Amino acid sequence: MTRHAELVVPGGRYVLRRARIPGCFLHAPSAFGPADADGSFLVDLLIDNGLVADISAAGASMPADGPAIDLAGRQVWSTLLDVHTHLDKGQVIPRAVPDGTLEGGARATIADRQFWTEEDIAARMRFGLQCAYVHGVSMIRTHLDSHEHLAPRSFQVFRAMRDEWAGRIDLQAVGLAPLAVFRTDWGNRLADLVLQSGGVLGGVTDALGVYEGAGDAEMDRLLDAFLMAAAERGLDVDLHVDQTEALDPFALPRIAAAVLRTKFKGRVLCGHCVSLALQPDDVARETIARSVDAGLDFVTLPTPMIYLQDRKPGRTPRWRGVTLAQELLDAGLKVAIGGDNCRDAWFPFGDHDMVDTLHQSVRIFHLDQPFSRALAMAGPMASDIAGAGRHGRIAVGAPADMILLSARTLNEAMCRPQADRIVLRRGKRVMDPLPDYAELDALAGMPA
Ligand SMILES: [Zn+2]
């Protein structure tokens, strides 16, 4: 039997026989016969000229002639999405030295910005995108630090990267700034820049509440101004919310109330929300109910959070530092898993590999019963949250963008790093290598 990594994928028109696809990646999975114990379905896929031309229950009706690959019941997933990254600040290790705290991350990022020329930002973004592409990620939303003197440069690089990577990774940008900028004229000008760049308006609640000691009334005023700036331009919004263990201020219920008060019609994505897990049960329940009323979406970023939260010198962390993902899902809310920081001043690890992020998330959140819930959070649910169209699903007429695993079950998929995965883009196998770390050596400020 050919080893999985050595499979030769023909071009043009061919059949993938006996592919086992988790139901979340299919539009009407029950059409393909009974699900297995993981909720996956055994199908044959006809690939034609880069598109999925047909899907049928295994052995049902595929053409017998022409090339075919028998996957023998191995897992086939859609390519994945990462709807919360920071490509503009990544790949700066060891130029930046994280100390493992949120405050230290902020300080070291501000210091690192002295090196952020257009060329520097572009080189680091390109490196991160290449990692993601090779690992099987086809859509990324990246936040861009959007202070007044930085945003025009970062957005210019972003637009160039979006063009450069078109067809490989669909890119969205979020203009990220503390909500306090909506006290100034820069808030509206940033919203204009975001609109011109086809992006999403971002904000951070913590800088206001925790670091500036602003009261609830001031947060409400700024949330209204932020949502108004987005509504006037037809923008969606994406907030960094409650990123610390502080119980007060608690921004999430104020965001839900602001969305209802202003009748905001766009999508509202709340990232992090870690302090929700520390609130008393009745407060958490009430907040989740208000989030349902307001139609909020969520993205959890478990890998950097478990690194950053509850870190105190000489003391083992006592809590996981992540939001109430299971309760949010149980309430019918959409929750995505994102990668967040990658080799930067906040989090020195990561490789933009959403399979790895899924592995860690399943363990951190106990998302193994059933496993399939976690897959949707980096697939179709993430796609719906980001308005990313076809990404995260395997459908007739859509590009054949898929990950072929050697694993047959989701247990097998979760136990090994899937280093032998085969990524198909438009039906063709991606043969590009991961970028070499040595490519970053020439960046200004990198130690020799
Ligand atoms: Zn983030």
Side-chain angles (χ1 to χ4, degrees):
M1 185 176 162
T2 312
R3 293 175 71 83
H4 183 72
E6 291 158 11
L7 272 183
V8 176
V9 180
R13 182 179 166 93
Y14 63 94
V15 176
L16 292 173
R17 293 196 192 283
R18 295 198 292 165
R20 194 181 302 275
I21 304 182
C24 71
F25 293 125
L26 295 164
H27 277 298
S30 56
F32 306 116
D36 68 12
D38 284 329
S40 299
F41 294 82
L42 203 58
V43 304
D44 295 335
L45 294 155
L46 176 63
I47 312 297
D48 194 3
N49 203 21
L51 302 180
V52 177
D54 196 12
I55 309 174
S56 59
S61 63
M62 282 288 151
D65 58 333
I69 298 173
D70 183 5
L71 292 175
R74 280 172 268 177
Q75 290 277 315
V76 173
W77 297 357
S78 160
T79 49
L80 300 174
L81 300 90
D82 191 347
V83 298
H84 185 128
T85 67
H86 294 268
L87 292 172
D88 60 336
K89 58 180 79 151
Q91 313 302 336
V92 295
I93 305 294
R95 184 170 84 186
V97 181
D99 69 1
T101 69
L102 285 157
E103 296 77 10
R107 272 196 306 273
T109 299
I110 290 165
D112 192 65
R113 285 197 197 120
Q114 65 178 300
F115 300 113
W116 291 19
T117 60
E118 281 180 30
E119 296 73 25
D120 180 81
I121 300 170
R124 293 184 292 98
M125 276 194 171
R126 197 174 279 124
F127 188 98
L129 288 164
Q130 179 76 4
C131 296
Y133 176 65
V134 172
H135 287 312
V137 173
S138 58
M139 185 273 158
I140 286 182
R141 175 182 286 189
T142 181
H143 293 256
L144 300 175
D145 283 3
S146 291
H147 306 292
E148 186 168 4
H149 301 294
L150 176 59
R153 190 187 325 156
S154 295
F155 269 89
Q156 185 171 321
V157 175
F158 166 79
R159 290 190 299 264
M161 285 295 126
R162 186 173 55 192
D163 292 345
E164 183 180 311
W165 284 79
R168 289 180 288 172
I169 295 182
D170 283 348
L171 277 169
Q172 293 180 357
V174 183
L176 173 68
L179 279 182
V181 303
F182 290 89
R183 284 189 190 122
T184 70
D185 178 49
W186 172 238
N188 278 312
R189 286 189 288 122
L190 172 59
D192 287 338
L193 176 63
V194 166
L195 177 63
Q196 289 154 16
S197 304
V200 174
L201 193 59
V204 184
T205 62
D206 293 275
L208 184 71
V210 174
Y211 306 130
E212 295 185 14
D216 289 342
E218 177 65 355
M219 187 182 289
D220 290 349
R221 267 195 295 278
L222 286 168
L223 281 169
D224 287 0
F226 166 75
L227 292 173
M228 194 66 72
E232 283 168 353
R233 294 164 181 81
L235 298 171
D236 292 333
V237 300
D238 188 332
L239 287 148
H240 279 66
V241 181
D242 298 330
Q243 289 180 93
T244 77
E245 62 191 19
L247 296 185
D248 184 37
F250 185 28
L252 183 56
R254 312 212 77 80
I255 293 168
V259 166
L260 293 167
R261 182 170 61 242
T262 59
K263 301 185 169 55
F264 183 71
K265 293 288 178 289
R267 290 191 180 92
V268 182
L269 179 55
C270 296
H272 295 287
C273 303
V274 300
S275 72
L276 179 63
L278 297 174
Q279 298 288 346
D281 285 351
D282 57 333
V283 174
R285 254 195 315 275
E286 176 65 19
T287 302
I288 291 171
R290 293 290 77 74
S291 301
V292 172
D293 295 342
L296 305 183
D297 294 327
F298 291 83
V299 58
T300 182
L301 301 313
T303 48
M305 285 300 100
I306 207 158
Y307 172 81
L308 285 164
Q309 302 291 342
D310 204 16
R311 180 183 286 264
K312 296 177 181 70
R315 177 183 172 278
T316 303
R318 308 293 160 84
W319 76 294
R320 296 183 182 214
V322 293
T323 194
L324 299 181
Q326 295 212 26
E327 290 82 345
L328 293 166
L329 288 167
D330 286 343
L333 291 161
K334 292 192 179 75
V335 185
I337 293 168
D340 206 1
N341 306 83
C342 186
R343 302 189 74 241
D344 69 13
W346 270 279
F347 184 58
F349 306 122
D351 203 35
H352 295 290
D353 179 358
M354 287 307 292
V355 174
D356 176 61
T357 302
L358 276 172
H359 281 178
Q360 300 194 53
S361 302
V362 163
R363 290 154 175 78
I364 293 168
F365 290 103
H366 293 181
L367 284 170
D368 53 322
Q369 297 178 5
F371 280 120
S372 52
R373 224 177 182 192
L375 296 186
M377 295 164 80
M381 205 178 276
S383 182
D384 291 347
I385 285 172
R390 65 172 183 83
H391 293 277
R393 290 187 174 88
I394 297 172
V396 173
D401 290 347
M402 298 182 284
I403 306 175
L404 315 185
L405 304 180
S406 57
R408 297 160 305 167
T409 64
L410 291 179
N411 172 276
E412 291 175 3
M414 293 292 157
C415 288
R416 286 186 180 165
Q418 305 306 321
D420 59 352
R421 81 192 74 163
I422 292 169
V423 176
L424 297 186
R425 299 301 306 274
R426 291 203 164 254
K428 291 199 180 113
R429 182 170 180 175
V430 171
M431 299 303 287
D432 308 49
L434 288 168
D436 194 312
Y437 288 124
E439 292 172 26
L440 299 167
D441 292 352
L443 294 180
M446 280 291 185

